[in-house]
Structure formats: structure tokens, C-alpha cells
Amino acid sequence: MSQDLLQTGTNELEIIIFTVGKETFAMNVMKVREIIQPIPVTSVPNSHPHVEGLIRLRDEVLSLVDLYKVLGELRAEEATEDKFIVGELNRMKVAFRVEKVSNIHRISWSDIEKPTDLSQGLEGLVTGVVKVDDKL
């Protein structure tokens, strides 16, 4: 993790890299509140198919979105590295189940490219594409 805070006006941001199935994704670190080991999940009848249930984190109840389901990925039976990324998006805290969190990278906003037509099917999920360590 970066030892120093980003300087204002540098046109940079930090992204956290995570995987879900065979795919690699990133999220702006400023949207991440914490990363935790999986904790008990309470299922909710008639909830959205992508919502795995609710978790209680320090007396706060959060929805847990299963990114495996959102992305149509299969979870390995021995998925032992699963993590919950707790984020705050549009003033709402939510947790995301991911397979593995790898590291944090500092990138320039200019390194983020608009998704192409090849990323069809992920509309609303992908806001940009960036190359990090020879991976998109």
C-alpha cells in the first residue's frame, strides 16, 4: 500500500486490484472503506438475485453483493481467499464478495480509457479500462 497520500493536483488516483473468477477488476481506493475476511451472511427472501444477503459489521447492517453472480462467474469450490470489499458508493455503504484482493496501484486519470464495444454486456459495471502490469 502507498505510504504517502496523493498530492492534490497530480491528476493521479489509486486503484485496488481484485479478481472474480478468471477476471481482474479495480476500484478507486477512495471508494473503499475496508477489506475484511468473510463473516456470516443472513439471506434475505425476495432480494435481488445478485444480493447474497446482509452482514453486520460493527453494528451496521450492509447488503452483500456477490460479484460472482453479477459477472456470471463460477466460484471455485475451494474458494478460500474470498474477501469482502466494503465500499461507499453514492453515500451508501455496501459490501462486495470478491475472490482475491491483490494490491494497490497508482495511476494517472489519463491512463483510463473508455470501454470499447468489445466490453458489451458489462454496461454500467465498467467505467474504464486501464493497463496495469501488462493486464487490462
Side-chain angles (χ1 to χ4, degrees), residues 52 66 68-69 73-79 82 97 99:
E52 185 174 337
D66 187 340
Y68 290 94
K69 291 179 182 176
E73 290 287 329
L74 295 176
R75 184 179 306 150
E77 287 188 31
E78 62 281 341
D82 275 8
R97 179 185 290 274
E99 183 172 344

Side-chain angles (χ1 to χ4, degrees), residues 28-51:
N28 186 338
V29 169
M30 294 300 293
K31 301 291 183 182
V32 176
R33 294 296 160 244
E34 60 186 302
I35 300 165
I36 61 172
Q37 296 294 332
I39 58 177
V41 179
T42 302
S43 62
V44 179
N46 301 317
S47 63
H48 190 281
H50 298 158
V51 174

Side-chain angles (χ1 to χ4, degrees), residues 4-62:
D4 57 329
L5 296 174
L6 291 175
Q7 300 292 318
T8 57
T10 62
N11 200 29
E12 293 181 326
L13 74 149
E14 289 182 324
I15 55 173
I16 188 160
I17 308 293
F18 61 91
T19 58
V20 179
K22 298 174 187 171
E23 304 300 328
T24 302
F25 296 92
M27 182 184 291
N28 186 338
V29 169
M30 294 300 293
K31 301 291 183 182
V32 176
R33 294 296 160 244
E34 60 186 302
I35 300 165
I36 61 172
Q37 296 294 332
I39 58 177
V41 179
T42 302
S43 62
V44 179
N46 301 317
S47 63
H48 190 281
H50 298 158
V51 174
E52 185 174 337
L54 301 174
I55 62 171
R56 180 178 292 276
L57 184 61
R58 288 182 293 286
D59 293 328
E60 190 171 16
V61 177
L62 305 174

